[in-house]
Amino acid sequence: MPEQESDLRVHMRENLEKMRALGQDPYEVYRYERTHTSQRVLDEFKDIGPEKSAEVVSVAGRMMAKRTHGKAGFADLVDRDGKIQLYIRRDDVGEEQWQLFDALDRGDMVGAEGRVFRTKSGEITVDVSQLNVLSKALIPLPEKFHGLQDVQTRYRQRYLDLVMNEDVRDRFIKRSRMIAFMRSWLNERRFIEVETPILQPLYGGALARPFVTHHNYLDLDLYLRIAPELYHKRCIVGNLEGVYEIGKNFRNEDIDAQHYPEYTSMELYKAYADYNDIMDLTESLLYDTAMHIVGSDQIVYGDRTLDFSKPWPRVTMADAIRKYTELDVDSLKTLEEAVEAAEQIGVEDLDGCSDIGRVIFEIFDQKAQPNLQDPIFIIDHPIIVSPLAKRKRGDPSLVERFELFISGWELANAFSELNDPVEQEQRFREQDRLKQTGDEEAHPIDTDYVRALEYGLPPTGGLGIGVDRYAMLMTDAPSIKEVILFPHMRPDIA
């Protein structure tokens, strides 16, 4: 610990004892009656002049600055909404309250009562008549001018990041508003919010490597869910007709700027709909959300402006590959031919591709996807990478699936859902064959889900949206960790 910080800690503990000597132990305060937030004071008294208001307000927050001028002092009080200035005079509040103010350190939680007025410099201010210390800080905050900028410290001590960086607080408030809007949007359209298991006896609904845990009482291995999809479609079998869930999924994968093993998704399923209907829904939901959060269909992200204006293009995967590589994947007839064509245009890591469809998917992933900046739907995927989707009408080698790409990332994934139990079981068995050959992401056989389909799943459209990635776009965040409150970090061994 630097010597200066050590001295400050000693000073702050001394101030705690001064407060206790004045009869105010800040840790013995149980509650504080606040009548106004900082923003409410600014709004209600926007026309105030130098004369004090008749109304006494009570505000509370963290003291982030203090300035003393002889027998008077100013302080900046910060709450979730913003900042309000406090003014205190020794002659008005008495010696004991003045000493209490003198013992305040930057970072202390404070409550203050008083009348509102406007200073000569034009700042709306609370003239304090009663000061209360609600909690005493014992560690000094980072120096104000430079703030808290070290990324490792910001993620490990997110509470400190939130205190010091207003833009970080604003980002998480916007994320909350975004999710609340999406939930309200779906509720208004008669979707039912459901909660499905996070601990599952069999993982499924996506191609991913799961986390494994063990239930001691049942003596049973369980998996953290990689997707709620198969449970949602069970709900549709059960006549709920339209369901959604906003919650955590877990995939045992790498961490980078867009990937995180514990992430939030919004999944929905709608009876009597296909992937065209779900594309319409997705476009409307995400467009309306952007307008609610950003207020424009021109979304600034990094050094680009993304054009969200409707309608969003709908392009087949084959056409997207043709546009960016000039390769006609529809002409590929054998696996060897596909691998050779892919390698000629620089596609790498094809060793695990045992099917033409997987090679095509890799070509798209490496050569076309990075170019997709403005919102675009890529439709009609190879069947081998889509074991839960219906075959494409008119082309049984493809499925009715779309992915939405923005800024080069996948933001949403959706199908016309496969509801033929016989074909679903066959697809599961093909996935199981891949698993036996070492594919850790292949889908296991779920016999109960097949049984549910045998009771009858109506034509259904399904959708999954990566909430964290969409929050990145809505808040101009460069990394997924910037929109996750408490991201996992390697152990700090320093």
mmCIF file of all heavy atoms in Angstrom, residues 50-67:
data_model
loop_
_atom_site.group_PDB
_atom_site.id
_atom_site.type_symbol
_atom_site.label_atom_id
_atom_site.label_comp_id
_atom_site.label_asym_id
_atom_site.label_seq_id
_atom_site.Cartn_x
_atom_site.Cartn_y
_atom_site.Cartn_z
ATOM 1 N N PRO A 50 -32.150 33.340 -5.591
ATOM 2 C CA PRO A 50 -31.301 33.372 -4.391
ATOM 3 C C PRO A 50 -32.083 33.217 -3.091
ATOM 4 O O PRO A 50 -31.495 32.879 -2.060
ATOM 5 C CB PRO A 50 -30.620 34.742 -4.478
ATOM 6 C CG PRO A 50 -31.528 35.569 -5.334
ATOM 7 C CD PRO A 50 -32.126 34.632 -6.313
ATOM 8 N N GLU A 51 -33.401 33.457 -3.137
ATOM 9 C CA GLU A 51 -34.226 33.288 -1.935
ATOM 10 C C GLU A 51 -34.451 31.809 -1.677
ATOM 11 O O GLU A 51 -34.751 31.045 -2.593
ATOM 12 C CB GLU A 51 -35.561 34.005 -2.101
ATOM 13 C CG GLU A 51 -35.434 35.507 -2.305
ATOM 14 C CD GLU A 51 -34.808 36.190 -1.094
ATOM 15 O OE1 GLU A 51 -35.076 35.738 0.043
ATOM 16 O OE2 GLU A 51 -34.034 37.145 -1.281
ATOM 17 N N LYS A 52 -34.357 31.397 -0.409
ATOM 18 C CA LYS A 52 -34.507 29.981 -0.071
ATOM 19 C C LYS A 52 -35.953 29.536 -0.234
ATOM 20 O O LYS A 52 -36.895 30.300 -0.032
ATOM 21 C CB LYS A 52 -34.065 29.736 1.371
ATOM 22 C CG LYS A 52 -32.589 30.021 1.614
ATOM 23 C CD LYS A 52 -32.250 29.841 3.084
ATOM 24 C CE LYS A 52 -30.828 30.308 3.386
ATOM 25 N NZ LYS A 52 -30.526 30.222 4.825
ATOM 26 N N SER A 53 -36.109 28.271 -0.600
ATOM 27 C CA SER A 53 -37.450 27.704 -0.770
ATOM 28 C C SER A 53 -38.150 27.584 0.572
ATOM 29 O O SER A 53 -37.516 27.491 1.634
ATOM 30 C CB SER A 53 -37.347 26.317 -1.407
ATOM 31 O OG SER A 53 -36.686 25.411 -0.530
ATOM 32 N N ALA A 54 -39.461 27.574 0.532
ATOM 33 C CA ALA A 54 -40.230 27.340 1.747
ATOM 34 C C ALA A 54 -40.151 25.882 2.167
ATOM 35 O O ALA A 54 -40.207 25.556 3.360
ATOM 36 C CB ALA A 54 -41.690 27.752 1.513
ATOM 37 N N GLU A 55 -40.007 25.018 1.187
ATOM 38 C CA GLU A 55 -39.985 23.572 1.445
ATOM 39 C C GLU A 55 -38.599 23.127 1.887
ATOM 40 O O GLU A 55 -37.581 23.532 1.327
ATOM 41 C CB GLU A 55 -40.392 22.821 0.181
ATOM 42 C CG GLU A 55 -40.393 21.319 0.330
ATOM 43 C CD GLU A 55 -40.718 20.604 -0.969
ATOM 44 O OE1 GLU A 55 -40.902 21.286 -1.994
ATOM 45 O OE2 GLU A 55 -40.772 19.359 -0.958
ATOM 46 N N VAL A 56 -38.568 22.264 2.894
ATOM 47 C CA VAL A 56 -37.335 21.615 3.322
ATOM 48 C C VAL A 56 -37.233 20.270 2.619
ATOM 49 O O VAL A 56 -38.180 19.476 2.632
ATOM 50 C CB VAL A 56 -37.316 21.409 4.844
ATOM 51 C CG1 VAL A 56 -36.080 20.603 5.264
ATOM 52 C CG2 VAL A 56 -37.326 22.757 5.563
ATOM 53 N N VAL A 57 -36.101 20.029 1.975
ATOM 54 C CA VAL A 57 -35.890 18.762 1.286
ATOM 55 C C VAL A 57 -34.875 17.932 2.067
ATOM 56 O O VAL A 57 -34.074 18.463 2.843
ATOM 57 C CB VAL A 57 -35.405 18.972 -0.159
ATOM 58 C CG1 VAL A 57 -36.386 19.826 -0.942
ATOM 59 C CG2 VAL A 57 -34.008 19.570 -0.199
ATOM 60 N N SER A 58 -34.934 16.630 1.825
ATOM 61 C CA SER A 58 -33.974 15.708 2.423
ATOM 62 C C SER A 58 -33.342 14.901 1.313
ATOM 63 O O SER A 58 -34.041 14.244 0.535
ATOM 64 C CB SER A 58 -34.687 14.777 3.416
ATOM 65 O OG SER A 58 -33.807 13.774 3.881
ATOM 66 N N VAL A 59 -32.025 14.963 1.193
ATOM 67 C CA VAL A 59 -31.295 14.262 0.140
ATOM 68 C C VAL A 59 -30.265 13.339 0.775
ATOM 69 O O VAL A 59 -29.901 13.505 1.946
ATOM 70 C CB VAL A 59 -30.609 15.250 -0.825
ATOM 71 C CG1 VAL A 59 -31.641 16.052 -1.599
ATOM 72 C CG2 VAL A 59 -29.648 16.172 -0.079
ATOM 73 N N ALA A 60 -29.802 12.362 0.003
ATOM 74 C CA ALA A 60 -28.792 11.436 0.519
ATOM 75 C C ALA A 60 -27.950 10.927 -0.639
ATOM 76 O O ALA A 60 -28.426 10.810 -1.777
ATOM 77 C CB ALA A 60 -29.446 10.270 1.254
ATOM 78 N N GLY A 61 -26.689 10.613 -0.334
ATOM 79 C CA GLY A 61 -25.799 10.087 -1.359
ATOM 80 C C GLY A 61 -24.371 10.028 -0.858
ATOM 81 O O GLY A 61 -24.114 10.130 0.352
ATOM 82 N N ARG A 62 -23.438 9.902 -1.785
ATOM 83 C CA ARG A 62 -22.026 9.821 -1.440
ATOM 84 C C ARG A 62 -21.371 11.181 -1.656
ATOM 85 O O ARG A 62 -21.521 11.777 -2.724
ATOM 86 C CB ARG A 62 -21.332 8.772 -2.316
ATOM 87 C CG ARG A 62 -19.905 8.460 -1.888
ATOM 88 C CD ARG A 62 -19.275 7.420 -2.790
ATOM 89 N NE ARG A 62 -19.995 6.149 -2.775
ATOM 90 C CZ ARG A 62 -19.799 5.183 -1.875
ATOM 91 N NH1 ARG A 62 -18.903 5.356 -0.901
ATOM 92 N NH2 ARG A 62 -20.480 4.061 -1.946
ATOM 93 N N MET A 63 -20.649 11.649 -0.641
ATOM 94 C CA MET A 63 -19.950 12.921 -0.770
ATOM 95 C C MET A 63 -18.686 12.715 -1.593
ATOM 96 O O MET A 63 -17.789 11.961 -1.217
ATOM 97 C CB MET A 63 -19.582 13.493 0.597
ATOM 98 C CG MET A 63 -19.147 14.949 0.521
ATOM 99 S SD MET A 63 -18.280 15.512 1.991
ATOM 100 C CE MET A 63 -16.678 14.752 1.748
ATOM 101 N N MET A 64 -18.630 13.394 -2.739
ATOM 102 C CA MET A 64 -17.505 13.207 -3.653
ATOM 103 C C MET A 64 -16.546 14.389 -3.682
ATOM 104 O O MET A 64 -15.492 14.299 -4.322
ATOM 105 C CB MET A 64 -18.036 12.927 -5.062
ATOM 106 C CG MET A 64 -18.783 11.602 -5.171
ATOM 107 S SD MET A 64 -17.750 10.165 -4.784
ATOM 108 C CE MET A 64 -16.670 10.131 -6.215
ATOM 109 N N ALA A 65 -16.903 15.477 -3.033
ATOM 110 C CA ALA A 65 -15.991 16.629 -2.960
ATOM 111 C C ALA A 65 -16.429 17.506 -1.800
ATOM 112 O O ALA A 65 -17.618 17.576 -1.476
ATOM 113 C CB ALA A 65 -16.002 17.421 -4.261
ATOM 114 N N LYS A 66 -15.444 18.189 -1.173
ATOM 115 C CA LYS A 66 -15.734 19.100 -0.062
ATOM 116 C C LYS A 66 -14.798 20.287 -0.157
ATOM 117 O O LYS A 66 -13.598 20.127 -0.402
ATOM 118 C CB LYS A 66 -15.553 18.375 1.281
ATOM 119 C CG LYS A 66 -15.939 19.225 2.484
ATOM 120 C CD LYS A 66 -15.825 18.443 3.794
ATOM 121 C CE LYS A 66 -14.393 18.258 4.235
ATOM 122 N NZ LYS A 66 -14.274 17.715 5.606
ATOM 123 N N ARG A 67 -15.375 21.480 0.022
ATOM 124 C CA ARG A 67 -14.594 22.713 -0.051
ATOM 125 C C ARG A 67 -14.982 23.590 1.139
ATOM 126 O O ARG A 67 -16.168 23.905 1.310
ATOM 127 C CB ARG A 67 -14.889 23.446 -1.368
ATOM 128 C CG ARG A 67 -14.670 22.590 -2.599
ATOM 129 C CD ARG A 67 -15.210 23.200 -3.863
ATOM 130 N NE ARG A 67 -16.657 23.336 -3.874
ATOM 131 C CZ ARG A 67 -17.512 22.343 -4.138
ATOM 132 N NH1 ARG A 67 -17.045 21.121 -4.379
ATOM 133 N NH2 ARG A 67 -18.816 22.553 -4.149
#
